[in-house]
Amino acid sequence: MGYKTKNAFHSQSYYPLWIGDASYSFTGTKLMNNYFDQSGTGDYWTGKSYDFGYADNAPNNDEASNIDISWAVDRNGKYVKLPGIDFVKVYTGVTQEAGWVGEVSTEVGGAYDLHMN
Protein backbone atom coordinates (compact mmCIF):
# COMPACT_ATOMS: atom_id res chain seq x y z
CA MET A 1 0.00 0.00 0.00
CA GLY A 2 1.16 3.51 -0.54
CA TYR A 3 1.34 6.34 -3.01
CA LYS A 4 3.62 7.81 -5.66
CA THR A 5 4.65 11.43 -5.30
CA LYS A 6 5.22 13.78 -8.21
CA ASN A 7 8.64 15.44 -8.46
CA ALA A 8 10.51 18.00 -10.56
CA PHE A 9 12.05 15.33 -12.83
CA HIS A 10 8.77 14.09 -14.33
CA SER A 11 5.76 16.09 -15.41
CA GLN A 12 3.51 13.15 -16.32
CA SER A 13 0.80 11.70 -14.12
CA TYR A 14 1.84 8.65 -12.11
CA TYR A 15 -1.63 7.12 -11.85
CA PRO A 16 -2.65 5.21 -14.99
CA LEU A 17 -5.16 7.46 -16.68
CA TRP A 18 -6.90 4.48 -18.35
CA ILE A 19 -8.07 3.08 -14.98
CA GLY A 20 -11.34 4.56 -13.70
CA ASP A 21 -11.08 3.21 -10.15
CA ALA A 22 -9.51 5.17 -7.29
CA SER A 23 -6.99 2.37 -6.63
CA TYR A 24 -5.65 -0.87 -8.03
CA SER A 25 -3.60 -3.83 -6.77
CA PHE A 26 -0.66 -5.92 -7.90
CA THR A 27 0.42 -9.39 -6.86
CA GLY A 28 3.91 -10.84 -6.95
CA THR A 29 7.19 -10.64 -5.12
CA LYS A 30 8.18 -7.27 -3.65
CA LEU A 31 11.91 -6.73 -3.38
CA MET A 32 13.43 -5.11 -0.33
CA ASN A 33 13.88 -1.33 -0.53
CA ASN A 34 17.27 -0.54 -2.00
CA TYR A 35 17.51 3.26 -1.73
CA PHE A 36 18.71 4.83 1.51
CA ASP A 37 19.10 8.37 2.80
CA GLN A 38 22.81 8.51 3.61
CA SER A 39 22.54 12.00 5.12
CA GLY A 40 19.71 11.31 7.55
CA THR A 41 18.15 14.61 6.46
CA GLY A 42 16.71 13.57 3.09
CA ASP A 43 19.44 15.32 1.08
CA TYR A 44 21.63 12.40 -0.09
CA TRP A 45 19.88 9.28 -1.40
CA THR A 46 21.88 6.35 -2.79
CA GLY A 47 20.82 3.06 -4.31
CA LYS A 48 22.29 -0.38 -3.69
CA SER A 49 22.20 -3.01 -6.44
CA TYR A 50 20.60 -6.39 -5.85
CA ASP A 51 22.86 -9.45 -6.27
CA PHE A 52 21.81 -10.20 -9.87
CA GLY A 53 18.89 -11.00 -12.13
CA TYR A 54 16.99 -7.73 -12.08
CA ALA A 55 16.56 -5.19 -14.87
CA ASP A 56 17.66 -1.62 -14.03
CA ASN A 57 19.83 -2.96 -11.23
CA ALA A 58 22.87 -0.80 -12.00
CA PRO A 59 23.79 2.15 -14.22
CA ASN A 60 23.24 1.37 -17.93
CA ASN A 61 26.98 1.45 -18.70
CA ASP A 62 27.81 -1.04 -15.93
CA GLU A 63 28.16 -4.78 -16.66
CA ALA A 64 26.01 -5.41 -13.58
CA SER A 65 23.03 -3.94 -15.49
CA ASN A 66 22.95 -6.95 -17.83
CA ILE A 67 20.68 -9.95 -17.36
CA ASP A 68 21.27 -13.42 -18.82
CA ILE A 69 18.67 -16.04 -19.74
CA SER A 70 20.89 -18.68 -18.09
CA TRP A 71 19.59 -17.21 -14.82
CA ALA A 72 16.03 -18.34 -15.68
CA VAL A 73 14.25 -20.33 -12.98
CA ASP A 74 10.94 -22.15 -12.80
CA ARG A 75 8.18 -21.35 -10.30
CA ASN A 76 10.02 -23.41 -7.66
CA GLY A 77 13.28 -21.48 -8.06
CA LYS A 78 15.11 -24.28 -9.92
CA TYR A 79 17.31 -23.21 -12.82
CA VAL A 80 16.02 -24.14 -16.28
CA LYS A 81 17.88 -24.25 -19.58
CA LEU A 82 16.11 -22.23 -22.24
CA PRO A 83 16.92 -22.78 -25.92
CA GLY A 84 15.97 -19.14 -26.54
CA ILE A 85 13.37 -16.53 -25.75
CA ASP A 86 10.90 -14.57 -27.86
CA PHE A 87 9.60 -12.06 -25.33
CA VAL A 88 10.77 -10.63 -22.04
CA LYS A 89 8.33 -9.19 -19.53
CA VAL A 90 9.87 -6.64 -17.19
CA TYR A 91 7.94 -5.21 -14.27
CA THR A 92 8.84 -3.27 -11.18
CA GLY A 93 9.46 -5.38 -8.08
CA VAL A 94 10.07 -2.33 -5.88
CA THR A 95 7.65 0.19 -4.45
CA GLN A 96 9.61 2.83 -2.62
CA GLU A 97 9.72 6.59 -2.23
CA ALA A 98 13.25 8.00 -2.12
CA GLY A 99 12.80 11.59 -1.04
CA TRP A 100 13.67 14.19 -3.68
CA VAL A 101 14.73 11.37 -6.07
CA GLY A 102 11.05 10.34 -6.19
CA GLU A 103 9.62 6.89 -6.68
CA VAL A 104 11.94 3.97 -7.33
CA SER A 105 10.89 1.85 -10.31
CA THR A 106 12.33 -0.20 -13.15
CA GLU A 107 13.39 1.69 -16.27
CA VAL A 108 14.89 -0.25 -19.19
CA GLY A 109 17.35 1.57 -21.45
CA GLY A 110 17.48 -1.12 -24.15
CA ALA A 111 18.01 -4.76 -25.02
CA TYR A 112 20.16 -6.67 -27.48
CA ASP A 113 20.54 -10.24 -28.71
CA LEU A 114 23.98 -11.72 -28.09
CA HIS A 115 23.34 -14.87 -30.14
CA MET A 116 21.35 -13.91 -33.23
CA ASN A 117 21.22 -16.68 -35.85
Side-chain angles (χ1 to χ4, degrees):
M1 295 188 63
Y3 60 90
K4 296 295 169 211
T5 57
K6 196 170 189 178
N7 64 39
F9 300 109
H10 301 287
S11 60
Q12 79 277 3
S13 171
Y14 282 94
Y15 192 83
L17 299 176
W18 61 90
I19 296 177
D21 297 328
S23 67
Y24 62 109
S25 300
F26 296 100
T27 60
T29 302
K30 181 190 174 299
L31 301 174
M32 296 295 293
N33 289 347
N34 66 337
Y35 270 72
F36 304 95
D37 175 18
Q38 299 296 310
S39 66
T41 62
D43 294 329
Y44 187 67
W45 287 83
T46 59
K48 181 181 182 316
S49 296
Y50 298 106
D51 290 338
F52 73 93
Y54 301 101
D56 196 24
N57 193 38
N60 291 339
N61 60 353
D62 188 320
E63 283 294 315
S65 69
N66 297 333
I67 61 172
D68 190 317
I69 66 169
S70 69
W71 299 340
V73 295
D74 65 17
R75 71 179 69 217
N76 299 313
K78 288 185 64 176
Y79 283 99
V80 294
K81 183 167 175 54
L82 301 176
I85 54 175
D86 293 318
F87 301 96
V88 175
K89 179 179 180 179
V90 176
Y91 61 93
T92 297
V94 176
T95 178
Q96 180 182 5
E97 292 287 324
W100 66 269
V101 176
E103 53 85 26
V104 177
S105 63
T106 302
E107 298 170 0
V108 176
Y112 53 93
D113 188 341
L114 296 175
H115 304 287
M116 268 183 19
N117 291 333

